Amino acid sequence: MISIPLSEELTVSADKLLQQHLLIVGATGSGKSTSAMTILHDLMAQNQTTMIIDPTGEYTHLPNAVVAKLGYNAYIDYEKLTGQDLNLLFGVDDPEIQEKLSDALDSLKIQKNIVKQPGVYTKINRTWDDFEKDMHQLYHYPQPVDLGLLPEQLRQEYAVPVDNFDVIGQKIDESGFTKCLPLIRRIKRLTSQQRFQQLYHMPLPEDEPAPANMQTDVMYLLRLFAGHRSDHKILVIDCSLFADNLAMGKVIVSLLTTSLLREKQQLKHSVPVTLLIDEAHRYVMADDLTSNGIFRIAREGRKSGLFLMLTTQSPLDLPASLLGQFGHYLVHQLNTSSELAQLPALQDYGQQIAHQNVGQALLAGNNFVPPQMIDMLLIAEMNHQTTTPQFF
């Protein structure tokens, strides 16, 4: 049995602590990140697979860390993105346009790998039989498509028949296509940005040298860690180069978590994986929670052996539907009654929570009734770079 010493007086099993997901919450400087490190250290020491999504780069110096710094030495390979991923990447929430964008990606793959001709896959006057044959051949697609062709291909996806229903279309539904114009502007804007190109490993102009450090597909690392014991390593995915762009950060983290969940669901034999998402309030898409990768892991991950730890400064930062997916809480200092109101089971402990010292926490949840006040152990070698500068 894997055990985790949380304090000098309390040791719990990993199953008891993590199988219902763990939320670590507390005001800035209260010790929540240090608590998360204590738990991950003991999992790592016992060769349990652990990962961190790190928004600021503060965990990159941890011992035994395999660091993938997105935009520097690691990238998300756009060739591996699915239609669903593209919709997330470009912020598409209209179901009709989501379907058209996914179809456009498939069409470009057919044109590149089956037709083997430049340009887009024309659907005007193409029969449904020919299209189905082409789709049937698309088992894999070794040649990458040009995302710059998406706008033109999207127009082809609005082909409609007039009097011959054996063909996909005889003319373009221009009024329907007009609804895609905001998306097309977004695609053109993003794909022209150098930082976007580097992050997603898009082809660079012939006269522009490739960055020397861009070596690792982060999806490969996720797949590797998802299916094997980690040899006492921690995978740290450093998102700090995008900390100034919260919108892009939300997309990146949702892509990563969605891909990790997909990998875990597809593996026939896999190992338990504990994922820490630090300062998770940065990454939650409250307007479309069901498609957010964090929420999907919270709701579906346990069946695939994927256990979630989130840190956040306040329970008010998380939507109620996400908060309800956590069965266990490690609550550091909170200062307002409105924050405690989000955790009804802890109402009677408000005074204790408000007056906790740094490093003290209330452990509560389905397996911890009544809640227990503990002084979290500090693992010196796992200390991370959050010390507040001192006045001088």
Side-chain angles (χ1 to χ4, degrees):
M1 181 180 71
I2 305 301
S3 60
I4 301 174
L6 295 179
S7 70
E8 292 184 359
E9 296 80 20
L10 180 65
T11 296
V12 300
S13 73
D15 287 332
K16 185 176 181 181
L17 181 65
L18 296 172
Q19 278 199 337
Q20 296 190 35
H21 300 315
L22 177 64
L23 178 65
I24 305 176
V25 62
T28 182
S30 62
K32 59 185 180 297
S33 295
T34 300
S35 295
M37 286 295 91
T38 295
I39 295 169
L40 289 186
H41 171 270
D42 286 302
L43 290 171
M44 180 192 68
Q46 297 172 80
N47 205 22
Q48 301 300 300
T49 302
T50 55
M51 305 178 185
I52 304 172
I53 294 181
D54 177 7
T56 60
E58 68 187 56
Y59 297 97
T60 57
H61 74 293
L62 294 176
N64 300 319
V66 175
V67 179
K69 186 172 183 176
L70 288 173
Y72 175 69
N73 70 341
Y75 57 85
I76 298 172
D77 192 346
Y78 83 95
E79 299 176 37
K80 306 295 196 308
L81 298 180
T82 65
Q84 179 185 8
D85 294 337
L86 272 193
N87 281 303
L88 177 62
L89 179 61
F90 293 120
V92 183
D93 52 19
D94 182 293
E96 178 188 331
I97 300 178
Q98 286 179 341
E99 183 177 359
K100 295 297 186 185
L101 184 59
S102 294
D103 289 345
L105 180 62
D106 286 339
S107 295
L108 288 177
K109 290 173 181 176
I110 291 173
Q111 183 70 11
K112 184 73 173 182
N113 296 283
I114 307 303
V115 180
K116 297 184 178 179
Q117 294 292 328
V120 301
Y121 184 74
T122 304
K123 290 194 168 179
I124 295 292
N125 295 324
R126 187 179 299 275
T127 67
W128 281 106
D129 285 344
D130 287 344
F131 172 68
E132 294 295 341
K133 289 176 184 177
D134 289 342
M135 280 294 292
H136 186 68
Q137 295 181 67
L138 195 62
Y139 295 113
H140 56 85
Y141 28 91
Q143 296 299 317
V145 303
D146 181 358
L147 292 186
L149 294 173
L150 274 174
E152 188 178 351
Q153 185 63 58
L154 270 168
R155 189 170 183 275
Q156 288 295 315
E157 303 309 321
Y158 281 87
V160 293
V162 177
D163 55 17
N164 182 357
F165 295 97
D166 290 329
V167 298
I168 298 173
Q170 294 166 280
K171 68 173 186 177
I172 299 297
D173 174 12
E174 298 291 355
S175 62
F177 175 63
T178 300
K179 293 188 293 185
C180 290
L181 293 181
L183 168 61
I184 288 172
R185 287 193 290 270
R186 202 175 308 131
I187 291 172
K188 287 182 174 293
R189 185 181 74 251
L190 288 174
T191 56
S192 66
Q193 295 175 5
Q194 184 181 33
R195 188 159 67 157
F196 185 95
Q197 295 167 352
Q198 291 182 355
L199 173 61
Y200 294 102
H201 206 231
M202 295 174 62
L204 298 174
E206 293 183 2
D207 59 346
E208 187 173 332
N213 297 315
M214 298 294 287
Q215 300 172 353
T216 306
D217 176 6
V218 73
M219 300 302 189
Y220 166 76
L221 290 177
L222 286 177
R223 186 162 54 251
L224 188 66
F225 274 73
H228 303 85
R229 289 184 178 272
S230 60
D231 193 26
H232 302 283
K233 305 290 186 183
I234 292 180
L235 174 61
V236 178
I237 302 176
D238 177 1
C239 304
S240 60
L241 289 181
F242 304 93
D244 63 329
N245 189 328
L246 289 181
M248 186 175 288
K250 289 179 180 180
V251 171
I252 290 169
V253 173
S254 194
L255 280 174
L256 294 173
T257 47
T258 298
S259 297
L260 176 59
L261 178 61
R262 189 161 55 222
E263 290 292 340
K264 291 292 289 179
Q265 290 173 334
Q266 292 173 354
L267 287 170
K268 293 182 179 179
H269 305 287
S270 64
V271 297
V273 172
T274 301
L275 172 66
L276 168 64
I277 303 179
D278 195 39
E279 302 293 345
H281 53 275
R282 292 171 176 254
Y283 304 130
V284 176
M285 299 176 175
D287 53 338
D288 187 18
L289 197 59
T290 57
S291 64
N292 183 263
I294 297 175
F295 182 72
R296 292 192 59 199
I297 286 181
R299 191 172 57 180
E300 307 169 34
R302 287 180 295 173
K303 291 180 286 188
S304 302
L306 186 53
F307 306 111
L308 190 59
M309 290 172 51
L310 295 189
T311 75
T312 191
Q313 295 178 14
S314 169
L316 294 171
D317 293 334
L318 303 181
S321 53
L322 176 58
L323 196 61
Q325 299 296 322
F326 289 87
H328 296 138
Y329 308 97
L330 199 56
V331 184
H332 290 263
Q333 186 183 34
L334 296 174
N335 298 314
T336 68
S337 58
S338 58
E339 291 174 311
L340 282 172
Q342 296 295 101
L343 305 170
L346 302 183
Q347 292 295 302
D348 293 341
Y349 299 86
Q351 288 299 315
Q352 290 175 268
I353 292 171
H355 294 93
Q356 287 177 147
N357 295 320
V358 175
Q360 289 184 321
L362 190 71
L363 178 62
N366 297 330
N367 290 333
F368 304 100
V369 179
Q372 302 176 56
M373 188 68 71
I374 57 177
D375 291 291
M376 291 293 299
L377 287 176
L378 173 64
I379 309 297
E381 62 267 32
M382 297 294 284
N383 191 26
H384 57 298
Q385 298 174 344
T386 60
T387 304
T388 303
Q390 301 296 306
F391 289 99
F392 56 90

